[in-house]
Amino acid sequence: VDTTTLEGKREKIRNNFTAETFTRPIYDTLIDLTYDGHTDYVIGYYGLSGTGMKNRVNVYLFNPKLNAYIFNSKLSDLSNPTFYIKEKKITGFYIGNGGGGGEKMEWMKNNWVTTKIFKVDFDPENREKTEWIIEYPLTKKKEVLIRPFQMIPPKEILETEIDWDSF
């Protein structure tokens, strides 16, 4: 692999990803996630364990000073991410049979900032009246919405373009 080129650097990352995770990427793409005019590198894959939808990504932000892609653990930690690049926001969630949660991040002051977090627990005896607990870290506001339990969050709780049909 010729790592003197950006394409070669991405190929090396892709090869290391496959060797380290024992899974193959579903896709890889270039997106400018830092709004600096340089494209960053995203590898999408499907997680191997858990009961819910497990679309995952590894994100490597391009550092022009180093001419290299640097792994970003904050963005790579998101499950089932949806990148709303024009709106400068990213959402992600994981909900399994026992419950789960998710978050929304927004691009503020040249950084991805978590602006919304939700949690949900599954209670089989009260499935239709499940508590969805939502927190807004910047304002310290908290609210509880009662909605049926589901494996993809309702739109009023978290925007996502992920649905079972795309799975």
Side-chain angles (χ1 to χ4, degrees):
V1 176
D2 178 7
T3 58
T4 61
T5 68
L6 292 179
E7 184 177 324
K9 292 172 195 263
R10 291 191 300 270
E11 185 177 346
K12 182 178 179 185
I13 290 170
R14 212 172 23 253
N15 291 343
N16 287 342
F17 171 85
T18 301
E20 293 169 4
T21 62
F22 305 107
T23 187
R24 295 215 178 268
I26 295 172
Y27 68 89
D28 63 340
T29 191
L30 297 170
I31 307 171
D32 185 0
L33 292 170
T34 55
Y35 303 94
D36 62 358
H38 299 281
T39 52
D40 304 299
Y41 186 48
V42 178
I43 297 176
Y45 65 101
Y46 195 73
L48 299 176
S49 63
T51 57
M53 195 177 296
K54 300 173 290 293
N55 298 300
R56 304 292 309 228
V57 293
N58 274 9
V59 175
Y60 303 85
L61 301 179
F62 184 72
N63 182 320
K65 291 180 184 175
L66 300 175
N67 194 36
Y69 294 98
I70 308 299
F71 180 77
N72 182 277
S73 59
K74 184 174 186 174
L75 296 179
S76 296
D77 195 36
L78 288 173
S79 296
N80 301 304
T82 299
F83 298 95
Y84 298 96
I85 300 303
K86 289 180 183 175
E87 295 86 358
K88 296 187 175 185
K89 66 183 173 183
I90 301 172
T91 63
F93 69 92
Y94 175 76
I95 303 173
N97 285 334
E103 66 184 284
K104 176 171 88 171
M105 291 190 283
E106 297 181 65
W107 185 251
M108 303 173 148
K109 298 181 182 177
N110 294 320
N111 197 17
W112 285 106
V113 176
T114 301
T115 58
K116 186 178 194 179
I117 300 169
F118 81 87
K119 295 177 186 167
V120 61
D121 291 318
F122 177 64
D123 179 354
E125 294 178 14
N126 205 13
R127 181 182 186 96
E128 294 303 310
K129 294 185 178 179
T130 299
E131 288 187 345
W132 296 76
I133 302 164
I134 305 165
E135 297 180 36
Y136 301 88
L138 299 180
T139 61
K140 308 291 187 220
K141 181 181 170 187
K142 183 177 178 179
E143 63 182 321
V144 177
L145 297 179
I146 306 300
R147 301 285 183 277
F149 180 83
Q150 57 190 65
M151 303 286 271
I152 296 175
K155 292 284 185 194
E156 66 270 20
I157 292 173
L158 188 75
E159 293 174 75
T160 183
E161 293 178 7
I162 304 290
D163 60 36
W164 284 108
D165 295 334
S166 67
F167 171 62

